[in-house]
């Protein structure tokens, strides 16, 4: 397909109501959020997103956010993507989490050859699920690899088209050597969801509707062209670094915390303190907690968007971020998760016993945040690695190199 054909296709899509701008996608995400809120309990009970909810997400354009304009997509930058995920998260955390994971298809396509990339994006709203941590082995054979592995946290795999999995490459049963600091030759394989055995394992505390099930492959042949390394992008620019799949993650915790604060402020309009008879809006403790929540969330949010905007401009200009600039994005991302959990925990305490009865939105939001804060991206090893980067120390594992350095890129834990 020529560039002109692609542009004609984009024009046709616009005429049919398909979102082709960042403003379109964000407006649709904001409009959908209340409907997601109404379905949250149902989705949590089902432990996955229902097909009609997936269709509603597709209608927002969230899964095509990173499709290049030249290929008929809206090509949102990292700030715009995060805004969309944040808007969806004010409605339901699991739906936003699945959107954040599922829209990675065009990012992965940027590390593959054009023919394969076009197959992945034949449907621009195709959903990709999976974990990139190297939990599998890929034996090198003529034309590709024989892949065997068991992966965890396949968020959105119940409605995905494609699945990725991290593997360590072997030759004659022996691990191949990898880059310095890596445990071996670490690659990512891409295959249709039907090539994997999806296991119903997702019985979780929070993010229940994300359907983050385990999946496995046994001696699955994957052609060479359907595998890639984050160290070898086929494109240039800001989307060509490994942390491209991490940048919009803070949108989920930021959106959940925003929803929780708004919920408490609405409660305060009519609630009366049972002990004193004073309206909540006139109660010192309530005023203090709400103000502190707004203060903490605002600081975390500005750090996320400020660092993302600065990073994007640097990478688009073809420059290399300094150590301080690299650390700023990593620390802002981690802080968003931890701050959101802290904010919602304090609001949960403020609501007291009213928050413990199911269905309670505060209870769900706190459980969702506790679960997402168990993701590797929000752990102390990331904090320590950022400190090592700032002090000129050594990053001791491949995960740290990928997440903190970004461009050296090795990993995104999928769910």
């Amino acid at each position: 397909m020529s560039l002109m054909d692609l542009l004609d296709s984009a024009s046709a899509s616009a005429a049919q109501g398909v979102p082709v701008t960042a403003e379109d996608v964000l407006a649709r995400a904001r409009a959908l959020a209340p409907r997601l809120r109404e379905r949250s309990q149902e989705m949590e009970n089902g432990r996955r997103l229902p097909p009609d909810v997936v269709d509603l997400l597709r209608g927002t354009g969230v899964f095509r956010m990173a499709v290049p304009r030249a290929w008929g997509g809206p090509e949102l930058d990292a700030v715009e993507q995060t805004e969309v995920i944040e808007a969806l998260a004010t409605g339901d955390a699991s739906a936003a989490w699945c959107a954040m994971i599922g829209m990675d298809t065009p990012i992965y396509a940027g590390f593959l050859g054009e023919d394969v990339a076009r197959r992945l994006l034949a449907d621009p709203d195709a959903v990709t699920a999976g974990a990139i941590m190297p939990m599998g082995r890929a034996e090198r054979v003529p034309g590709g690899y024989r892949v065997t592995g068991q992966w965890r946290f396949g968020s959105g795999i119940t409605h995905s088209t494609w699945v990725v999995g991290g593997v360590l490459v072997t030759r004659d049963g022996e691990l191949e050597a990898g880059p310095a600091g890596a445990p071996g030759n670490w690659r990512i394989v891409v295959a249709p969801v039907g090539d994997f055995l999806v296991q119903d394992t997702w019985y979780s505390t929070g993010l229940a509707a994300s359907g983050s099930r385990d999946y496995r492959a046994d001696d699955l042949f994957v052609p060479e062209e359907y595998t890639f390394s984050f160290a070898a992008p086929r494109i240039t620019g800001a989307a060509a670094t490994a942390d491209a799949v991490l940048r919009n993650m803070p949108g989920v915790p930021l959106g959940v915390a925003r929803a929780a604060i708004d919920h408490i402020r609405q409660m305060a309009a009519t609630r009366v303190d049972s002990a004193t008879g004073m309206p909540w809006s006139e109660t010192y403790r309530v005023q203090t907690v709400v103000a502190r929540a707004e203060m903490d969330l605002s600081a975390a949010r500005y750090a996320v968007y400020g660092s993302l905007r600065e990073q994007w401009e640097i990478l688009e200009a073809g420059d290399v971020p300094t150590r301080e600039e690299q650390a700023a994005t990593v620390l802002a991302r981690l802080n968003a998760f931890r701050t959101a959990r802290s904010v919602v925990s304090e609001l949960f305490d403020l609501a007291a016993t009213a928050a413990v009865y199911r269905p309670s939105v505060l209870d769900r939001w706190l459980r969702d945040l506790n679960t997402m804060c168990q993701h590797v991206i929000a752990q102390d090893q990331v904090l320590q690695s950022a400190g090592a980067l700032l002090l000129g120390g050594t990053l001791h594992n491949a995960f740290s190199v990928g997440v903190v350095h970004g461009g050296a890129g090795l990993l995104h834990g999928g769910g």
Side-chain angles (χ1 to χ4, degrees):
M1 185 179 289
S2 68
L3 176 58
M4 186 59 66
D5 290 335
L6 287 166
L7 293 174
D8 289 343
S9 175
S11 297
S13 294
Q16 295 168 10
V18 175
V20 293
T21 68
E23 293 77 13
D24 288 340
V25 181
L26 182 57
R28 294 185 185 205
R30 286 173 172 165
L32 179 58
R35 299 177 67 182
L36 294 175
R37 178 85 62 86
E38 293 170 357
R39 304 285 297 276
S40 286
Q41 188 60 47
E42 170 201 343
M43 294 190 293
E44 182 172 54
N45 292 342
R47 298 182 300 108
R48 60 179 291 177
L49 298 187
D52 68 308
V53 171
V54 178
D55 288 341
L56 289 172
L57 288 171
R58 283 197 176 95
T60 68
V62 66
F63 295 126
R64 63 172 65 198
M65 287 198 296
V67 175
R69 291 187 188 91
W71 286 33
E75 195 176 346
L76 274 63
D77 64 28
V79 169
E80 294 165 335
Q81 291 176 25
T82 306
E83 288 175 332
V84 172
I85 299 302
E86 182 182 23
L88 292 171
T90 64
D92 183 79
S94 289
W97 191 266
C98 286
M100 177 267 295
I101 296 293
M103 59 75 57
D104 286 341
T105 311
I107 296 177
Y108 297 139
F111 292 84
L112 295 161
E114 184 174 348
D115 287 347
V116 176
R118 289 186 180 278
R119 289 174 205 147
L120 260 64
L121 294 174
D123 174 4
D125 297 308
V127 173
T128 298
I132 299 177
M133 295 182 72
M135 298 180 237
R137 296 294 177 99
E139 175 69 14
R140 193 180 290 276
V141 296
Y145 304 88
R146 287 285 176 184
V147 176
T148 298
Q150 172 86 21
W151 293 267
R152 302 179 66 196
F153 308 124
S155 298
I157 199 168
T158 55
H159 57 265
S160 69
T161 303
W162 301 97
V163 173
V164 296
V167 296
L168 293 177
V169 178
T170 61
R171 188 189 296 268
D172 298 326
E174 299 294 325
L175 283 175
E176 288 189 353
N185 183 2
W186 193 343
R187 294 189 71 77
I188 314 301
V189 301
V190 185
V193 64
D195 288 350
F196 296 88
L197 174 64
V198 179
Q199 302 165 321
D200 188 4
T201 54
W202 189 241
Y203 293 86
S204 62
T205 299
L207 292 180
S210 67
S212 302
R213 301 179 179 186
D214 291 7
Y215 60 102
R216 68 172 294 107
D218 294 290
D219 198 34
L220 170 66
F221 176 73
V222 179
E224 174 73 34
E225 62 267 28
Y226 281 82
T227 74
F228 67 91
S229 166
F230 275 131
R234 301 294 185 98
I235 58 174
T236 59
T241 62
D243 68 338
V245 292
L246 303 175
R247 293 174 190 151
N248 60 22
M249 289 186 76
V252 185
L254 292 177
V256 173
R258 178 70 267 159
I261 295 174
D262 291 346
H263 176 71
I264 289 292
R265 290 178 64 176
Q266 290 170 3
M267 286 178 60
T270 57
R271 188 162 177 175
V272 175
D273 186 274
S274 58
T276 66
M278 289 183 62
W280 259 31
S281 59
E282 300 295 336
T283 302
Y284 176 86
R285 177 174 178 244
V286 177
Q287 294 169 342
T288 303
V289 169
V290 169
R292 181 161 51 242
E294 290 282 9
M295 175 181 67
D296 291 346
L297 179 60
S298 294
R301 189 175 187 274
Y302 275 93
V304 165
Y305 284 105
S307 63
L308 283 175
R309 190 171 289 107
E310 184 176 68
Q311 180 198 47
W312 192 269
E313 291 172 354
I314 292 168
L315 293 173
E316 281 292 279
D319 297 329
V320 177
T322 65
R323 288 175 176 261
E324 289 75 15
E325 289 162 345
Q326 292 175 50
T329 308
V330 174
L331 293 174
R333 182 166 53 230
L334 187 153
N335 185 59
F337 280 85
R338 295 190 175 185
T339 298
R341 178 172 60 180
S342 175
V343 164
V344 175
S345 179
E346 189 166 13
L347 297 176
F348 183 92
D349 289 344
L350 179 65
T353 54
V356 305
Y357 293 100
R358 294 192 183 186
S360 160
V361 289
L362 284 169
D363 170 71
R364 183 186 305 113
W365 287 327
L366 185 56
R367 288 185 287 109
D368 287 341
L369 283 162
N370 277 327
T371 296
M372 70 180 78
C373 282
Q374 296 304 108
H375 192 286
V376 66
I377 204 68
Q379 300 304 302
D380 276 351
Q381 70 186 94
V382 175
L383 192 64
Q384 178 271 323
S385 297
L389 182 70
L390 291 170
L391 296 173
T394 301
L395 277 66
H396 293 289
N397 57 69
F399 169 80
S400 300
V401 174
V403 172
V404 177
H405 279 302
L410 298 169
L411 142 79
H412 171 41

